[in-house]
Amino acid sequence: MQLKEQSIFNHSGNKIVTEDRDISIIAKFEEPMIAILGNVLSHEECDELIQLSKEHMNRSKIGTEREVSGIRTSSGAFLPETENGVDARIEKRVAQIMNVPANHGEGLHILNYKPGEEYKAHLDYFKSSKANHNPRISTLVMYLNDVEEGGETYFPHLKLSITPQKGMAVYFEYFYQDPAINELTLHGGAPVITGDKWAATIWVRRKQYR
Ligand SMILES: O=C(O)CCC(=O)C(=O)O
Ligand SMILES: [Fe+2]
């Protein structure tokens, strides 16, 4: 039998006890490690992140992107960092879930999809040598609302899809020795059919990033 590669998601049992919240491990796919997590954010935190990102997007268009390539038709923005706001608290909790120090993360990236908008299948790591000195190693996508219809996060190679539910998240990682395992993390956000979708993504680097 082939030896399993090491994961940094080293949690056993059915929950992750963080400083301020118990996260439930609902399901795991072992290789590549993909974990469906419950109770990651309170409903109040979800609402607050949506509100903050709306204010930020209204105040200035700087930091908001809408990709012209058609890969991502949703709009997204990194939340500006605060000292002790909701974002700092969540990043601290996420660091304990992802088992990587908070300053390896790129910050909270908020995504909003309207009906018909999607994020086509992609890899979160960079194929070019540009970021080789400090590559992305893992991702957490947190759902900030329930989507009426559509908007699933899907992994086409694994035939796996996750329905967004407010406060839940999906974790995955892609730093394996075997590139074929990393490529299995190809994923996308399916088109939203009814309602809209809000999500917050954290991409984590191997070394300190901020
Ligand atoms: O919206 C989703 O379900 C996926 C988001 C995603 O892939 C990303 O932010 O990198
Ligand atoms: Fe992604």
Side-chain angles (χ1 to χ4, degrees):
M1 205 184 84
Q2 219 187 325
L3 259 180
K4 222 165 69 79
E5 288 205 39
Q6 204 62 42
S7 167
I8 37 170
F9 190 84
N10 63 345
H11 310 289
S12 56
N14 58 11
K15 67 179 181 192
I16 305 167
V17 179
T18 71
E19 222 164 275
D20 63 349
R21 204 171 174 82
D22 287 3
I23 314 303
S24 53
I25 300 174
I26 294 170
K28 272 200 280 192
F29 187 90
E30 295 286 336
E31 200 176 67
M33 175 61 74
I34 299 176
I36 318 299
L37 305 172
N39 199 41
V40 175
L41 302 176
S42 70
H43 283 209
E44 294 70 30
E45 287 169 333
C46 292
D47 297 341
E48 216 176 318
L49 287 181
I50 293 174
Q51 200 47 48
L52 279 175
S53 103
K54 279 183 182 164
E55 284 166 18
H56 174 60
M57 290 189 201
N58 286 343
R59 225 181 8 248
S60 77
K61 289 286 163 198
I62 298 164
T64 67
E65 336 114 34
R66 191 175 277 269
E67 286 190 8
V68 284
S69 62
I71 296 247
R72 188 164 77 200
T73 52
S74 58
S75 42
F78 280 100
L79 274 190
E81 274 179 75
T82 63
E83 280 289 326
N84 345 293
V86 64
D87 58 316
R89 180 169 82 234
I90 291 168
E91 286 185 56
K92 206 166 158 203
R93 185 184 309 152
V94 165
Q96 293 168 57
I97 296 170
M98 299 179 87
N99 199 22
V100 178
N103 62 15
H104 291 216
E106 294 178 25
L108 279 165
H109 188 259
I110 312 292
L111 280 167
N112 180 221
Y113 303 76
K114 304 281 181 213
E117 294 183 343
E118 67 179 314
Y119 197 164
K120 293 214 170 90
H122 63 279
L123 295 162
D124 281 353
Y125 54 94
F126 311 110
K127 285 267 184 169
S128 73
S129 55
K130 178 179 90 185
N132 270 357
H133 64 287
N134 193 11
R136 283 183 178 170
I137 57 171
S138 58
T139 300
L140 186 74
V141 179
M142 295 171 273
Y143 304 111
L144 305 182
N145 72 337
D146 294 326
V147 184
E148 219 169 302
E149 200 182 354
E152 299 86 357
T153 305
Y154 63 97
F155 293 79
H157 294 319
L158 303 172
K159 301 187 183 353
L160 171 69
S161 80
I162 298 130
T163 304
Q165 276 189 26
K166 190 169 184 171
M168 285 183 47
V170 57
Y171 167 89
F172 53 98
E173 56 185 30
Y174 33 76
F175 51 80
Y176 299 99
Q177 295 294 321
D178 180 353
I181 300 177
N182 297 327
E183 279 161 26
L184 294 177
T185 65
L186 185 81
H187 64 280
V192 168
I193 298 168
T194 321
D196 72 341
K197 172 183 171 186
W198 287 89
T201 301
I202 290 198
W203 296 290
V204 163
R205 303 290 184 121
R206 183 178 299 282
K207 297 185 272 191
Q208 185 177 343
Y209 182 74
R210 288 178 302 168

